[in-house]
Amino acid sequence: MKEPASPPAVLIGDHPAMDFLNTHATPGGLATEWLATGTELLRWLEQAKLMDAETAARFRADKAAAAQLDVVATGARALREWLRAFLRRRAGQPLPAAAEAELGPLNLLLAGDRSYARVAGGAEGLTLQRLRRWETPEDLLQPIAAAIADLVCHADFQRIRACEGHDCSLMFLDRTKAHARRWCSMALCGNRAKAAAHRARRRSA
Ligand SMILES: [Zn+2]
Protein backbone atom coordinates (compact mmCIF):
# COMPACT_ATOMS: atom_id res chain seq x y z
CA MET A 1 0.00 0.00 0.00
CA LYS A 2 1.33 3.39 -0.95
CA GLU A 3 1.14 5.89 1.90
CA PRO A 4 -0.32 9.31 1.13
CA ALA A 5 2.47 11.81 0.55
CA SER A 6 2.82 14.59 3.12
CA PRO A 7 2.90 18.11 1.67
CA PRO A 8 6.35 19.46 0.68
CA ALA A 9 8.59 20.35 3.63
CA VAL A 10 8.17 23.88 5.02
CA LEU A 11 11.70 25.29 5.03
CA ILE A 12 11.20 28.80 6.40
CA GLY A 13 13.16 28.42 9.66
CA ASP A 14 16.39 29.92 8.24
CA HIS A 15 18.29 27.18 10.11
CA PRO A 16 18.02 23.39 9.62
CA ALA A 17 17.25 22.85 13.33
CA MET A 18 14.35 25.33 13.10
CA ASP A 19 13.13 23.58 9.94
CA PHE A 20 13.27 20.31 11.89
CA LEU A 21 11.17 21.86 14.67
CA ASN A 22 8.64 22.91 12.02
CA THR A 23 8.08 19.30 10.87
CA HIS A 24 5.00 19.45 13.06
CA ALA A 25 3.15 22.72 12.62
CA THR A 26 -0.22 24.29 11.97
CA PRO A 27 0.19 26.23 8.71
CA GLY A 28 -3.13 27.94 8.00
CA GLY A 29 -4.52 26.48 11.25
CA LEU A 30 -4.25 22.89 9.99
CA ALA A 31 -2.11 20.55 12.16
CA THR A 32 0.35 18.74 9.90
CA GLU A 33 2.91 16.01 10.68
CA TRP A 34 5.84 15.59 8.27
CA LEU A 35 7.61 12.76 10.12
CA ALA A 36 4.84 10.19 10.60
CA THR A 37 6.91 7.31 9.16
CA GLY A 38 10.47 6.38 8.28
CA THR A 39 9.70 7.03 4.61
CA GLU A 40 8.52 10.54 5.48
CA LEU A 41 11.65 11.15 7.56
CA LEU A 42 13.79 10.17 4.55
CA ARG A 43 11.80 12.50 2.29
CA TRP A 44 12.18 15.39 4.75
CA LEU A 45 15.96 14.84 5.18
CA GLU A 46 16.29 14.93 1.40
CA GLN A 47 14.17 18.08 0.99
CA ALA A 48 16.07 19.80 3.82
CA LYS A 49 19.32 18.83 2.02
CA LEU A 50 20.58 16.92 5.07
CA MET A 51 20.82 13.74 2.98
CA ASP A 52 21.67 13.20 -0.69
CA ALA A 53 19.12 11.57 -3.03
CA GLU A 54 21.30 8.51 -3.63
CA THR A 55 21.54 7.65 0.09
CA ALA A 56 17.80 8.23 0.58
CA ALA A 57 17.05 5.87 -2.34
CA ARG A 58 19.36 3.21 -0.86
CA PHE A 59 17.54 3.32 2.52
CA ARG A 60 14.15 3.26 0.73
CA ALA A 61 15.11 0.17 -1.27
CA ASP A 62 16.24 -1.73 1.87
CA LYS A 63 13.01 -3.55 2.81
CA ALA A 64 14.68 -5.19 5.84
CA ALA A 65 15.31 -1.71 7.32
CA ALA A 66 11.72 -0.44 6.84
CA ALA A 67 10.46 -1.31 10.36
CA GLN A 68 13.63 0.11 11.91
CA LEU A 69 13.17 3.34 9.92
CA ASP A 70 9.72 3.76 11.49
CA VAL A 71 11.28 3.32 14.96
CA VAL A 72 13.84 6.01 14.09
CA ALA A 73 11.01 8.31 12.92
CA THR A 74 9.43 7.86 16.37
CA GLY A 75 12.79 8.85 17.88
CA ALA A 76 12.94 11.88 15.57
CA ARG A 77 9.50 13.05 16.74
CA ALA A 78 10.54 12.63 20.39
CA LEU A 79 13.74 14.61 19.71
CA ARG A 80 11.68 17.34 18.02
CA GLU A 81 9.29 17.70 20.96
CA TRP A 82 12.29 17.79 23.34
CA LEU A 83 13.70 20.63 21.20
CA ARG A 84 10.32 22.40 21.23
CA ALA A 85 10.19 22.32 25.04
CA PHE A 86 13.80 23.56 25.23
CA LEU A 87 13.09 26.47 22.86
CA ARG A 88 9.89 27.37 24.73
CA ARG A 89 12.00 27.84 27.86
CA ARG A 90 15.05 29.42 26.22
CA ALA A 91 14.10 31.33 23.05
CA GLY A 92 13.92 35.12 23.10
CA GLN A 93 16.85 35.64 25.49
CA PRO A 94 20.62 34.96 25.40
CA LEU A 95 21.39 31.27 25.94
CA PRO A 96 23.64 30.88 29.01
CA ALA A 97 26.32 28.18 29.40
CA ALA A 98 24.25 26.77 32.28
CA ALA A 99 21.79 25.50 29.64
CA GLU A 100 24.24 22.62 29.19
CA ALA A 101 22.41 20.86 32.06
CA GLU A 102 19.32 20.61 29.80
CA LEU A 103 21.16 19.24 26.76
CA GLY A 104 21.58 15.61 27.89
CA PRO A 105 19.43 14.08 25.11
CA LEU A 106 21.37 16.07 22.49
CA ASN A 107 24.80 15.12 23.86
CA LEU A 108 23.76 11.46 24.01
CA LEU A 109 23.00 11.55 20.27
CA LEU A 110 26.18 13.46 19.46
CA ALA A 111 28.23 10.79 21.27
CA GLY A 112 27.08 8.31 18.59
CA ASP A 113 28.16 10.52 15.68
CA ARG A 114 30.19 8.54 13.15
CA SER A 115 30.89 11.27 10.62
CA TYR A 116 34.44 11.67 9.35
CA ALA A 117 36.53 14.32 7.66
CA ARG A 118 38.06 14.34 4.20
CA VAL A 119 40.31 16.83 2.45
CA ALA A 120 38.90 17.52 -1.02
CA GLY A 121 40.00 19.72 -3.89
CA GLY A 122 37.61 22.14 -5.62
CA ALA A 123 37.33 25.55 -7.26
CA GLU A 124 38.30 27.22 -3.96
CA GLY A 125 41.36 25.02 -3.39
CA LEU A 126 41.58 22.32 -0.72
CA THR A 127 38.80 22.23 1.87
CA LEU A 128 37.97 20.00 4.81
CA GLN A 129 34.64 18.23 4.27
CA ARG A 130 32.49 16.40 6.82
CA LEU A 131 31.02 13.18 5.46
CA ARG A 132 28.61 10.59 6.89
CA ARG A 133 28.77 6.81 6.69
CA TRP A 134 24.96 6.33 6.52
CA GLU A 135 25.07 2.66 7.50
CA THR A 136 22.13 2.09 9.86
CA PRO A 137 18.71 3.78 10.15
CA GLU A 138 19.90 5.31 13.48
CA ASP A 139 22.38 7.37 11.44
CA LEU A 140 19.40 9.40 10.16
CA LEU A 141 19.25 11.30 13.45
CA GLN A 142 22.91 12.36 13.26
CA PRO A 143 22.61 15.33 10.84
CA ILE A 144 19.63 16.55 12.87
CA ALA A 145 21.63 16.37 16.11
CA ALA A 146 24.49 18.23 14.40
CA ALA A 147 22.05 20.95 13.28
CA ILE A 148 20.62 21.35 16.81
CA ALA A 149 24.19 21.51 18.19
CA ASP A 150 25.00 24.26 15.69
CA LEU A 151 21.86 26.16 16.73
CA VAL A 152 22.62 26.08 20.47
CA CYS A 153 26.32 26.94 19.98
CA HIS A 154 26.11 29.57 17.21
CA ALA A 155 22.62 31.05 16.88
CA ASP A 156 21.50 34.18 18.72
CA PHE A 157 18.65 32.83 20.84
CA GLN A 158 17.19 36.33 21.18
CA ARG A 159 16.36 36.05 17.47
CA ILE A 160 14.41 32.78 17.72
CA ARG A 161 10.74 33.64 17.41
CA ALA A 162 7.33 32.28 16.53
CA CYS A 163 5.36 33.57 13.55
CA GLU A 164 2.80 36.16 14.64
CA GLY A 165 0.18 34.65 12.35
CA HIS A 166 -3.12 33.67 13.93
CA ASP A 167 -3.17 29.87 14.47
CA CYS A 168 0.39 29.53 13.08
CA SER A 169 2.95 27.62 15.16
CA LEU A 170 5.92 27.93 12.77
CA MET A 171 9.14 29.26 14.32
CA PHE A 172 12.26 30.74 12.76
CA LEU A 173 15.66 32.25 13.41
CA ASP A 174 15.40 35.92 12.44
CA ARG A 175 18.55 36.68 10.44
CA THR A 176 17.25 39.93 8.90
CA LYS A 177 19.51 42.95 9.41
CA ALA A 178 16.80 44.92 11.23
CA HIS A 179 15.75 41.88 13.33
CA ALA A 180 12.20 42.71 12.32
CA ARG A 181 10.97 39.47 10.82
CA ARG A 182 7.40 38.72 11.98
CA TRP A 183 6.04 36.04 9.69
CA CYS A 184 6.85 32.49 8.61
CA SER A 185 6.28 33.85 5.10
CA MET A 186 4.32 36.66 3.52
CA ALA A 187 2.41 34.14 1.40
CA LEU A 188 1.28 32.02 4.37
CA CYS A 189 0.67 34.56 7.14
CA GLY A 190 1.96 38.05 6.31
CA ASN A 191 -0.61 38.82 3.62
CA ARG A 192 -3.45 37.36 5.67
CA ALA A 193 -2.54 39.59 8.63
CA LYS A 194 -2.28 42.66 6.38
CA ALA A 195 -5.69 41.93 4.86
CA ALA A 196 -7.20 41.47 8.34
CA ALA A 197 -5.69 44.78 9.53
CA HIS A 198 -7.01 46.50 6.39
CA ARG A 199 -10.52 45.16 7.04
CA ALA A 200 -10.35 46.29 10.68
CA ARG A 201 -9.31 49.81 9.60
CA ARG A 202 -12.20 50.00 7.11
CA ARG A 203 -14.68 48.90 9.77
CA SER A 204 -13.53 51.55 12.23
CA ALA A 205 -13.41 54.32 9.55
ZN1 LIG B 1 2.92 31.83 9.99
Side-chain angles (χ1 to χ4, degrees):
M1 199 178 79
K2 213 169 169 337
E3 58 183 275
S6 48
V10 174
L11 303 173
I12 57 85
D14 222 356
H15 189 286
M18 299 307 297
D19 289 332
F20 173 66
L21 181 83
N22 290 335
T23 54
H24 185 279
T26 56
L30 186 71
T32 308
E33 171 64 73
W34 276 269
L35 305 181
T37 64
T39 312
E40 288 199 358
L41 174 61
L42 280 173
R43 190 187 302 128
W44 183 82
L45 284 166
E46 218 184 317
Q47 291 181 355
K49 301 212 175 353
L50 294 177
M51 176 185 271
D52 60 280
E54 197 181 317
T55 307
R58 180 161 57 77
F59 273 109
R60 240 175 246 128
D62 184 357
K63 295 298 168 213
Q68 195 54 33
L69 279 172
D70 286 345
V71 172
V72 172
T74 304
R77 294 194 301 274
L79 177 67
R80 181 187 66 202
E81 297 318 311
W82 168 83
L83 175 64
R84 196 182 311 281
F86 179 77
L87 291 177
R88 271 197 188 125
R89 288 193 302 275
R90 295 297 192 173
Q93 58 198 320
L95 187 63
E100 181 196 344
E102 298 164 39
L103 296 174
L106 175 63
N107 277 329
L108 199 66
L109 266 175
L110 290 172
D113 192 299
R114 296 188 296 130
S115 62
Y116 60 99
R118 181 174 181 274
V119 176
E124 319 252 292
L126 293 174
T127 55
L128 191 62
Q129 294 181 337
R130 238 325 92 218
L131 300 171
R132 297 196 171 275
R133 297 188 201 283
W134 300 119
E135 283 162 2
T136 70
E138 284 78 16
D139 292 345
L140 268 60
L141 295 184
Q142 292 301 334
I144 299 170
I148 298 173
D150 181 78
L151 185 82
V152 298
C153 293
H154 299 130
D156 181 350
F157 263 53
Q158 295 177 89
R159 307 282 168 238
I160 293 177
R161 280 201 295 276
C163 172
E164 292 179 24
H166 177 62
D167 279 347
C168 181
S169 66
L170 291 167
M171 292 185 74
F172 52 81
L173 175 62
D174 179 6
R175 297 195 206 238
T176 61
K177 262 213 180 85
H179 306 310
R181 183 174 168 187
R182 297 175 62 194
W183 315 110
C184 56
S185 73
M186 281 315 282
L188 271 176
C189 285
N191 289 334
R192 289 206 315 176
K194 277 189 176 166
H198 182 68
R199 280 195 301 274
R201 271 196 305 275
R202 276 182 53 173
R203 267 198 306 275
S204 62

